[in-house]
Amino acid sequence: MSNVGFRIFTKIKRPDKNVVELFRGLPVANIADEMNRVNCVDARIKPVSKKPLLGTAFTVRARIGDNLMFHKALDMAQPGDIIVVDGRGDVVNSLTGEIMMRQAMKKGLAGVVIDGAVRDADALRELDLAIYAAGITPQGPYKDGPGEINVPVCIGGVVVQPGDILVGDGDGIVVIHPKDAAGTAAKAQGKFAKEQVTFKAIEEGTLDRSAYSDEAFIKRGCEIIDDYYE
């Protein structure tokens, strides 16, 4: 009988690394736009370090304030994985700090995303590892369990499945299911290319702003009054 709430699944279906690499260098905003703006992690989960995030989700469901299963995930995760910890958004106790994050770097992990808190923030900011968290506190964790590894989790309002692709930059994180990856990447690459054309038009003074002209606003029913408000 399955011990729901305290169990470890040892296998996940990781996407091909070439599929993951399709997203390298693409702004999260471009990807999110091409996913109808619905798969972005809540803004309360912010970057702690400067390194961009790209990799495959290795998920952990933790008991509030407890990092026992997080430690186990550090031993199990493979290079290129992102450990994604569902800490229920609690920021009373940190779930990780510099020691664990240096272990993650040594293993070649692609990053860590925590719906919970971290500590040793000054040190984490300087590490060559993508780290995102919902908060910062010096108060440390418990190590008692229970918890689960490689089950669906919820991070910042978005469900993350083991093997999902995560992309993060200064704006935040977007989650992509591997089945949707190739098509989403192609559309996001097209969006990115169009933006480069727009940037060039801005510099050359040729950008079409007619959609924001007085005529366009009047057509929408907006009243334009050539006087002061009194």
Side-chain angles (χ1 to χ4, degrees):
M1 183 170 63
S2 184
N3 189 18
V4 176
F6 200 13
R7 57 188 179 177
I8 295 170
F9 291 89
T10 61
K11 297 180 180 180
I12 65 174
K13 295 179 181 179
R14 293 177 176 85
D16 187 280
K17 291 182 179 179
N18 291 327
V19 174
V20 178
E21 285 297 315
L22 293 173
F23 294 95
R24 189 168 299 280
L26 287 176
V28 167
N30 289 167
I31 301 167
D33 281 354
E34 297 304 331
M35 297 184 75
N36 292 296
R37 301 166 182 174
V38 297
N39 258 33
C40 293
V41 171
D42 190 89
R44 64 185 173 76
I45 297 182
K46 296 179 172 60
V48 177
S49 63
K50 301 173 184 177
K51 190 176 179 66
L53 180 77
L54 177 64
T56 302
F58 189 101
T59 63
V60 177
R61 180 181 292 153
R63 179 183 178 187
I64 288 176
D66 189 290
N67 74 354
L68 177 69
M69 302 304 272
F70 193 169
H71 272 283
K72 183 62 175 175
L74 267 181
D75 290 339
M76 295 174 61
Q78 298 181 10
D81 285 346
I82 298 167
I83 295 181
V84 180
V85 183
D86 180 355
R88 305 284 295 277
D90 182 79
V91 293
V92 174
N93 297 85
S94 61
L95 295 181
T96 191
E98 184 178 5
I99 291 175
M100 290 177 69
M101 294 301 90
R102 287 189 176 276
Q103 289 176 289
M105 283 179 54
K106 180 66 175 178
K107 290 202 65 175
L109 301 189
V112 173
V113 177
I114 305 169
D115 198 345
V118 300
R119 65 178 177 180
D120 305 326
D122 290 341
L124 299 191
R125 289 188 187 100
E126 303 305 317
L127 294 184
D128 188 29
L129 179 71
I131 304 168
Y132 287 73
I136 297 168
T137 178
Q139 189 158 263
Y142 303 101
K143 304 180 188 299
D144 303 309
E148 296 183 305
I149 290 177
N150 286 327
V151 298
V153 297
C154 184
I155 301 293
V158 177
V159 174
V160 179
Q161 303 276 354
D164 280 352
I165 298 168
L166 273 65
V167 188
D169 59 19
D171 285 348
I173 302 168
V174 66
V175 180
I176 306 115
H177 192 285
K179 290 191 297 185
D180 303 321
T184 300
K187 290 193 291 184
Q189 289 162 359
K191 175 85 171 180
F192 181 73
K194 288 179 181 177
E195 285 196 349
Q196 307 315 301
V197 174
T198 299
F199 297 155
K200 183 178 180 181
I202 291 171
E203 291 301 313
E204 295 176 349
T206 59
L207 184 66
D208 181 9
R209 296 283 295 173
S210 60
Y212 308 104
S213 66
D214 286 354
E215 292 77 9
F217 273 75
I218 291 169
K219 188 174 181 181
R220 287 174 175 265
C222 179
E223 183 181 9
I224 297 178
I225 302 167
D226 189 21
D227 203 349
Y228 299 102
Y229 176 82
E230 294 182 0

